[in-house]
Amino acid sequence: MPLHFTSGQRLDDGVLEREFTLGDIPGILWTPASAPAPAPLILLGHPPLGLRTMYPRLVARARHAAADGFAAATIELPGSGDRPRWAAAEQARAGLRRAVEAGEPVGDEIIDALILPLVDKAVPEWQAALDALLPLPEIGGPVGYSGGVISIGVRLAAVEPRIVAAGFFAGSFVPRAMFEEARQVTIPLHVLLQWDDEGNDRQAALDLFDAFGSQEKSLHAHMGGHTGVPQFAGEAAAQFFTRHLR
């Protein structure tokens, strides 16, 4: 898929932010102001809420990455933001809302419908983004993946040899099928878990961590809900990527 830059601006810390399209997929690339080129690349994963909604958190993460000498990039997920509506995804989200509003447990059927088609569509798009971004002179690899949806990260880590380390946020539903894929993941992992995350099955997150086939994997659990991640958690993640992408 062809990559076209559509806009660019310097942020106040000198980071260059450029919006791009990859075919019809919107994305954003951030590159450090003064790091020696080419820079390693961190892919910024995010929930399917739309890049515009997620932008404040994404740009903050990208600035932190740039301060450590890394480029960062993200793309819009299928059916989100300005991309065409995706009927199957909207039906799955409606099923989830009905279960939550009724106080019912979120069963495997709902989780599978919500997550597995998203993983199947999104992972090849992330790989296409890598195909387009890595040849740029300012980017050289190696590549890391950081964030959620954790199932997208698991699939990417299992199938994409250019990704050498991953930081996962265990804050989303995990289909049972992903546990088998997790056993195929062997790269170093840094997993963040909010212990009191109201929307996350803590035991499933612990079981997924146990399933990962990586020899080097660390679990960082903090008290608090989904949005209560402490500031210092970012420092440990930054040290992890500096260790493995430098």
Side-chain angles (χ1 to χ4, degrees):
M1 280 188 272
L3 182 144
H4 297 291
F5 288 108
T6 56
S7 69
Q9 63 170 336
R10 287 272 176 197
L11 305 182
D12 54 18
D13 54 3
V15 172
L16 177 60
E17 176 185 278
R18 286 174 287 174
E19 296 189 8
F20 63 84
T21 56
L22 182 68
D24 60 354
I25 305 166
I28 311 173
L29 172 66
W30 295 270
T31 45
S34 57
L41 175 65
I42 298 177
L43 301 177
L44 301 181
H46 53 90
L49 301 175
L51 285 184
R52 298 290 160 225
T53 300
M54 293 302 302
Y55 176 80
R57 278 191 269 175
L58 288 166
V59 72
R61 291 163 61 194
R63 284 174 185 257
H64 284 299
D68 293 326
F70 302 127
T74 193
I75 56 173
E76 188 74 87
L77 291 175
S80 297
D82 297 328
R83 294 188 65 180
R85 298 296 92 195
W86 180 16
E90 304 218 337
Q91 288 171 0
R93 289 172 194 160
L96 173 64
R97 281 195 299 273
R98 281 194 297 272
V100 170
E101 288 166 3
E104 298 170 352
V106 179
D108 289 347
E109 188 176 337
I110 292 174
I111 293 173
D112 287 356
L114 192 68
I115 303 296
L116 291 178
L118 178 63
V119 172
D120 289 343
K121 275 182 174 281
V123 166
E125 294 180 352
W126 279 109
Q127 291 180 295
L130 276 182
D131 292 341
L133 292 167
L134 285 177
L136 296 175
E138 60 270 40
I139 297 174
V143 181
Y145 177 89
S146 174
V149 173
I150 193 169
S151 294
I152 292 175
V154 170
R155 172 76 59 80
L156 266 173
V159 304
E160 179 47 74
R162 293 172 290 186
I163 295 176
V164 302
F168 292 148
F169 180 28
S172 52
F173 295 112
V174 182
R176 292 185 186 275
M178 296 309 302
F179 286 78
E180 190 54 46
E181 296 194 33
R183 294 183 178 90
Q184 302 166 30
V185 174
T186 58
I187 61 174
L189 298 177
H190 178 102
V191 182
L192 179 65
L193 172 64
Q194 285 301 103
W195 201 250
D196 307 301
D197 190 335
E198 55 283 354
N200 189 34
D201 183 335
R202 182 199 301 162
Q203 190 57 53
L206 295 173
D207 291 344
L208 183 67
F209 179 79
D210 193 40
F212 287 125
S214 305
Q215 288 298 304
E216 181 189 333
K217 56 181 179 179
S218 58
L219 179 67
H220 298 252
H222 304 284
M223 304 306 291
H226 189 80
T227 58
V229 181
Q231 283 292 125
F232 62 80
E235 297 167 17
Q239 290 168 359
F240 168 80
F241 282 114
T242 296
R243 249 193 344 269
H244 291 290
L245 300 185
R246 281 288 172 209

